[in-house]
């Protein structure tokens, strides 16, 4: 059981200011409890949201900040009331590590929409200590927010499913878009978009990738299995898509017009926004009204949906397209991600990295 209520030291890589440069950092984990799981981190995926956070793009960043919310690790200790996990289990931790437990979203297994949710980093836990993420050697997490990684699934493949994978799976499940034969569009072919193609294809959908240029066409069609590829700046190509799609998953994280994509939707089609954008988007209402179309947002997924997408990907044999890096390559990886120079998700080999024992402290 170990030292319930005690504190443990952790070593990670933290940003200390909006430059977003990460460097070694040692800190104490929050106090442990009877429902907590102490995890030795094996690997952690890099998400585009991490860039927003370390650079304070949303004006809400607190430093020092250890990012990382696609965490896979091994359980090394459990609290006395932990029933879901035992020492040695390979587990995952995503974006959320706390919630109120009593609101409507929480009682509906939709804790990601709880107004008192606690982020896995850049937040404050219920005991007043700051939360820190998965670019570190260890984490302590309440068992409710930990999921088992299916046996036989490679840890580095599991990591992107804890955010990118469930972010795509959740709206498809919620909106009843899992039946085969549907026609879907994936706007943007990055970490989330590439998982969108793979998951939608595994559900039996006809999938069209919509991108700003032709440079990813071969990858999308030949390696990811997309059925069609359209360049959004080509009016003739976009016209070909008019009134043809049941849904579009919009993963673009920067400002872009919505009208061209609304025009691609059928009656009752859904444009599902996923990119974190800090400038207002615009659209002409007739494009929505005349087709009873829906513009919706969707935020990651619940713990239940995370378990579902892990099982779905294991059953279908789906894998993420990843590039594995060491911890001392983190800053270069973030620079490359900012330039979209990755196919399609970086995963940091935390356990195989030298985290530098002489890390700086507060």
């Amino acid at each position: 059981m170990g030292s319930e209520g005690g504190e443990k030291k952790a070593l990670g890589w933290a940003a200390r200011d909006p430059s977003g440069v990460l460097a070694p950092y040692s800190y104490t984990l929050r106090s442990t409890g009877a429902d907590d799981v102490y995890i030795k981190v094996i690997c952690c995926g890099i998400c585009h949201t991490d860039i927003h956070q370390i650079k304070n793009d949303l004006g809400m960043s607190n430093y020092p900040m250890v990012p990382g919310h696609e965490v896979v690790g091994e359980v090394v200790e459990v609290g006395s009331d932990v029933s879901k996990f035992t020492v040695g289990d390979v587990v995952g931790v995503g974006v959320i590590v706390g919630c109120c437990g009593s609101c409507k979203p929480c009682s509906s297994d939709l804790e990601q929409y709880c107004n008192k949710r606690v982020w896995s980093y850049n937040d404050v836990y219920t005991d007043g200590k700051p939360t820190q993420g998965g670019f570190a050697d260890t984490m302590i997490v309440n068992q409710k927010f930990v999921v088992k990684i299916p046996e036989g699934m490679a840890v580095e493949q599991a990591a992107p499913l804890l955010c990118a994978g469930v972010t795509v799976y959740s709206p498809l499940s919620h909106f009843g878009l899992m039946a085969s034969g549907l026609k879907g569009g994936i706007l943007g072919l990055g970490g989330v978009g590439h998982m969108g193609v793979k998951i939608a294809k595994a559900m039996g959908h006809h999938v069209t990738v919509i991108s700003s240029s032709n440079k990813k066409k071969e990858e999308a069609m030949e390696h990811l299995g997309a059925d069609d590829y359209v360049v959004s700046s080509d009016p003739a190509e976009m016209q070909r898509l008019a009134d043809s799609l049941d849904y579009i998953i919009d993963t673009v994280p920067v400002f872009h017009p919505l009208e061209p994509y609304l025009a691609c939707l059928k009656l009752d089609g859904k444009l599902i926004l996923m990119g974190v954008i800090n400038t207002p988007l615009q659209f002409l209402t007739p494009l929505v009204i005349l087709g009873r179309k829906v513009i919706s947002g969707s935020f990651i997924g619940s713990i239940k949906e995370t378990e579902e997408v892990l099982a779905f990907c294991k059953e279908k044999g789906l894998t993420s397209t990843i590039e594995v890096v060491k911890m001392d390559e983190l800053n270069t990886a973030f620079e490359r991600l900012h330039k979209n120079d990755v196919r399609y998700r970086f995963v940091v080999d935390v356990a195989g990295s030298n985290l530098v024992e002489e890390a700086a402290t507060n």
Side-chain angles (χ1 to χ4, degrees):
M1 300 297 177
S3 52
E4 285 182 20
E7 293 185 336
K8 294 180 172 64
K9 289 286 187 180
L11 178 59
W13 276 50
R16 290 171 170 79
D17 55 55
S19 70
V21 175
L22 287 89
Y25 171 64
S26 64
Y27 54 98
T28 56
L29 297 172
R30 67 169 179 80
S31 299
T32 59
D35 287 311
D36 288 329
V37 179
Y38 183 43
I39 300 168
K40 177 184 177 183
V41 177
I42 299 172
C43 63
C44 183
I46 301 179
C47 175
H48 201 280
T49 304
D50 295 329
I51 296 178
H52 291 305
Q53 295 283 16
I54 63 175
K55 292 186 174 294
N56 197 29
D57 288 342
L58 304 177
M60 301 183 296
S61 296
N62 299 291
Y63 303 97
M65 180 200 303
V66 177
H69 59 236
E70 297 180 339
V71 190
V72 178
E74 180 184 348
V75 175
V76 294
E77 185 180 297
V78 296
S80 57
D81 291 341
V82 172
S83 57
K84 294 173 61 179
F85 307 100
T86 59
V87 172
D89 284 347
V90 179
V91 297
V93 179
V95 181
I96 304 297
V97 295
C99 66
C100 78
S102 59
C103 66
K104 183 175 180 180
C106 286
S107 61
S108 304
D109 289 327
L110 294 168
E111 60 281 338
Q112 74 272 32
Y113 295 112
C114 173
N115 288 330
K116 295 182 180 179
R117 73 183 79 84
V118 180
W119 309 107
S120 54
Y121 68 89
N122 193 35
D123 206 346
V124 178
Y125 201 68
T126 53
D127 64 354
K129 288 190 69 68
T131 59
Q132 302 289 9
F135 298 136
D137 57 357
T138 54
M139 292 181 76
I140 292 175
V141 184
N142 184 287
Q143 65 173 330
K144 175 178 174 59
F145 300 93
V146 180
V147 296
K148 281 188 180 179
I149 303 302
E151 186 175 350
M153 179 177 282
V155 291
E156 65 275 9
Q157 291 292 339
L161 301 179
L162 301 171
C163 177
V166 74
T167 295
V168 171
Y169 180 89
S170 178
L172 293 176
S173 174
H174 171 72
F175 288 113
L177 297 170
M178 296 178 66
S180 63
L182 296 177
K183 290 189 174 182
I186 306 295
L187 178 55
L189 197 60
V192 175
H194 100 280
M195 286 308 306
V197 174
K198 291 188 174 189
I199 289 174
K201 283 297 298 179
M203 291 178 177
H205 297 181
H206 180 283
V207 178
T208 298
V209 171
I210 308 171
S211 190
S212 58
S213 74
N214 257 323
K215 67 179 183 179
K216 295 182 179 180
K217 182 174 183 178
E218 180 179 351
E219 181 79 15
M221 302 285 286
E222 297 186 12
H223 298 284
L224 299 181
D227 299 287
D228 198 2
Y229 189 99
V230 170
V231 177
S232 58
S233 59
D234 185 332
E237 285 284 281
M238 291 297 287
Q239 179 59 36
R240 181 168 62 81
L241 278 186
D243 300 312
S244 68
L245 301 178
D246 294 292
Y247 66 87
I248 295 175
I249 291 178
D250 182 347
T251 72
V252 177
V254 296
F255 175 83
H256 57 288
L258 299 184
E259 287 96 337
Y261 311 109
L262 289 168
C264 297
L265 295 174
K266 295 178 181 178
L267 175 67
D268 292 328
K270 296 170 178 63
L271 177 62
I272 304 165
L273 304 178
M274 294 182 175
V276 177
I277 304 169
N278 57 3
T279 53
L281 301 181
Q282 297 177 329
F283 62 92
L284 299 174
T285 58
L287 282 170
V288 176
I289 295 170
L290 296 178
R292 202 165 61 185
K293 299 172 184 178
V294 175
I295 300 174
S296 176
S298 184
F299 176 59
I300 54 169
S302 65
I303 297 300
K304 181 175 180 290
E305 288 169 328
T306 303
E307 293 170 338
E308 288 175 5
V309 76
L310 286 165
F312 178 83
C313 290
K314 176 67 187 303
E315 176 190 350
K316 300 294 184 179
L318 296 186
T319 59
S320 311
T321 302
I322 61 172
E323 180 177 337
V324 178
V325 297
K326 300 292 188 182
M327 194 76 91
D328 60 6
E329 300 173 287
L330 255 182
N331 291 308
T332 299
F334 272 111
E335 291 172 6
R336 288 180 53 195
L337 176 58
H338 189 63
K339 300 174 183 175
N340 294 318
D341 178 26
V342 57
R343 293 163 59 188
Y344 282 93
R345 202 70 157 184
F346 283 117
V347 176
V348 182
D349 175 12
V350 177
S353 297
N354 176 12
L355 302 191
V356 187
E357 292 183 355
E358 62 272 20
T361 62
N362 284 330

